[in-house]
Amino acid sequence: GDVLTSRQCRKHLGGVLTAALLAVAPALSCADVMMLWRSDGLHAVRAGLEAGRSDATPALDAIIGHADEALTRGPYSVVHKIGFRGGDIHDYYSQGPYWWPDPESPDGLPYIRRDGQTNPEKYGDAFDSRRRHDMTRDVTALTLAGYFTGERRYLDHAALQIRTWFITPDTLMNPNMDHAQSIPGRSAGRPPGIIDSRAFVYIIDAALTLHDLGALNDEDLATLQAWFGRMAQWLETSDNGRGERAARNNHGTYYDLQLAAFHWFAGNTEAAARVVDRFCETRIAPQLAADGSQPHELARTRPYHYSLFNLQAMANVMLLARRMQLDTDAAECSIEDGIRRGLAYVAGHPATGRDWPAGPGDNAGRGLYELLVLYHYLAGPDHGRDPALHPRGAFESAMIHLLLPTEPTR
């Protein structure tokens, strides 16, 4: 991976990536910006590590540290809910993050919304949010640790996690999000809850890697692909799925990413291509202003977070499009150009006093850094990136350096 200095970012993006963003404290990134991997990137990084000429060692050390801890946890399952309130325990249950008891109501019902303020109830054992989060991060770390070290213990535990959550009849999750992001006193499950299942996009390439390395067998992979196919069907036909498809902000973007990725993994490439082909027209164009700002996300109480969050989904659709050999830079509407404008706006935007990075040590900058590295890698050398740069300082342990090699490629 390569560090992008302020000079390089200004050269390409036409904006300003402040020095504060390049002095951010490292944070372990085990299921982060790159939700889909590139096999050529993984192979190139591993070859560099084996030859002793890679800058990815700090990132590998961080992943192995996480994987060692993950060996002591799990496997996770939706049937592990404690204090379950009834229904099918195999269904996924979660609570809307920004909903709180009404202090004016004797029983707190119905809950009221406080945007940007997360109610810790959502992490309780009666819900599956924390288990889903931990399962995804652990599978990612274990798979990468096993891939780069060759140690079977990592691969086997990652495979066990996947079998438990998606395959084994006694513990699997039903392929639906009917009860995601419920609101006490208001709703048993809502369209916005589908944002929770974006985590399953991370499972796709982990599972393919585990299959290639023999930790998942052919029957495991076929069963998993069938699960994702049913999930894609639910996204298209359920009331919640149709409601989320109509969303005009990051929720709609992540809906399309999930639908396309799940269809692709299940073998329905034509359906996946239809989603990707219309993505620029239906998501990029309506959500990004000419200056690269995202009005729907800027209206939130955490505008920086949600602007990056939305760009992450767009970048992963671009990754999937490249995998499917679909055009991402069409003259009439370009996914590439939309992401470039969005990154330029975020990188060049001054601190606003809300959640925009305010100075050195602000951890919020790492997500932007990883998106910049990913975009420059995908955009290629014709976009002015200097391939001689090397990772330095706080960003050495970012997971992006395990997923992408030093040299950018189309």
Side-chain angles (χ1 to χ4, degrees):
D2 302 9
V3 157
L4 304 176
T5 66
S6 297
R7 178 177 58 83
Q8 268 76 34
C9 291
R10 283 195 298 269
K11 178 179 179 183
H12 173 63
L13 294 173
V16 177
L17 181 63
T18 66
L21 296 183
L22 295 175
V24 179
L28 183 62
S29 169
C30 286
D32 214 2
V33 166
M34 279 189 73
M35 304 172 77
L36 296 165
W37 303 343
R38 289 179 60 117
S39 59
D40 60 339
L42 287 169
H43 295 334
V45 173
R46 186 168 64 178
L49 285 163
E50 290 172 348
R53 53 176 171 76
S54 174
D55 293 308
T57 301
L60 179 59
D61 289 343
I63 284 291
I64 291 173
H66 185 130
D68 286 340
E69 294 177 1
L71 288 172
T72 69
R73 297 191 291 257
Y76 307 97
S77 168
V78 292
V79 304
H80 294 163
K81 288 185 274 287
I82 298 174
F84 184 56
R85 301 170 184 173
D88 188 340
I89 199 169
H90 288 272
D91 283 344
Y92 175 91
Y93 280 77
S94 67
Q95 183 168 296
Y98 303 141
W99 293 85
W100 294 75
D102 184 351
E104 303 298 324
S105 171
D107 60 0
L109 300 176
Y111 275 27
I112 59 174
R113 181 174 171 82
R114 298 177 183 172
D115 189 30
Q117 300 179 41
T118 300
N119 184 342
E121 287 180 19
K122 69 166 286 189
Y123 300 115
D125 286 336
F127 302 109
D128 298 306
S129 299
R130 175 57 65 182
R131 281 180 287 272
R132 180 257 309 158
H133 172 270
D134 291 346
M135 181 273 294
T136 305
R137 288 175 61 85
D138 285 359
V139 167
T140 301
L142 289 161
T143 302
L144 289 174
Y147 175 84
F148 285 107
T149 67
E151 293 193 33
R152 188 76 189 194
R153 59 189 180 128
Y154 296 129
L155 301 172
D156 287 344
H157 199 57
L160 175 63
Q161 300 270 28
I162 288 177
R163 289 193 192 97
T164 302
W165 192 279
F166 297 100
I167 297 174
T168 303
D170 288 344
T171 57
L172 63 73
M173 171 188 157
N174 291 331
N176 70 69
M177 300 295 282
D178 287 332
H179 303 289
Q181 293 203 14
S182 61
I183 305 170
R186 292 182 184 270
S187 173
R190 305 175 299 139
I194 290 171
I195 201 79
D196 286 8
S197 54
R198 74 188 186 280
F200 301 147
V201 177
Y202 292 107
I203 298 300
I204 291 173
D205 281 329
L208 291 171
T209 301
L210 292 168
H211 178 255
D212 287 344
L213 296 174
L216 289 174
N217 60 36
D218 291 347
E219 183 179 356
D220 290 332
L221 186 64
T223 304
L224 186 64
Q225 289 170 318
W227 190 98
F228 275 84
R230 292 193 296 274
M231 187 68 175
Q233 183 180 28
W234 181 89
L235 286 172
E236 289 188 306
T237 61
S238 66
D239 289 343
N240 281 353
R242 288 191 291 265
E244 190 73 340
R245 183 174 59 214
R248 301 178 62 83
N249 62 354
N250 67 81
H251 280 265
T253 312
Y254 275 98
Y255 173 89
D256 277 8
L257 171 61
Q258 291 181 64
L259 184 61
F262 296 172
H263 270 315
W264 177 86
F265 183 52
N268 193 349
T269 55
E270 290 185 2
R274 286 195 295 271
V275 178
V276 175
D277 283 339
R278 66 174 185 253
F279 182 78
C280 190
E281 181 180 349
T282 59
R283 303 300 181 192
I284 299 280
Q287 294 188 56
L288 280 158
D291 65 354
S293 63
Q294 301 170 60
H296 291 295
E297 312 308 336
L298 293 178
R300 304 292 297 275
T301 58
R302 300 166 64 201
Y304 172 81
H305 165 81
Y306 280 108
S307 293
L308 279 184
F309 185 59
N310 201 24
L311 288 170
Q312 176 189 2
M314 295 176 182
N316 279 279
V317 171
M318 184 173 167
L319 272 169
L320 182 61
R322 289 289 179 79
R323 180 176 297 185
M324 299 175 66
Q325 298 183 317
L326 299 174
D327 188 10
T328 61
D329 196 23
E332 59 273 16
C333 189
S334 167
I335 298 176
E336 276 190 37
D337 180 67
I339 296 172
R340 179 194 62 78
R341 287 186 289 114
L343 285 171
Y345 180 88
V346 174
H349 197 280
T352 62
R354 291 202 277 180
D355 70 331
W356 236 267
D362 191 331
N363 194 51
R366 183 183 54 78
L368 174 57
Y369 167 76
E370 291 200 35
L371 271 172
L372 286 166
V373 172
L374 173 58
Y375 176 78
H376 277 254
Y377 181 83
L378 290 173
D382 53 317
H383 282 262
R385 187 176 182 211
D386 181 0
L389 293 171
H390 296 284
R392 290 201 175 30
F395 297 106
E396 286 182 318
S397 62
M399 193 181 77
I400 198 84
H401 298 308
L402 284 180
L403 302 178
L404 297 178
T406 298
E407 294 291 336
T409 179
R410 300 291 289 189

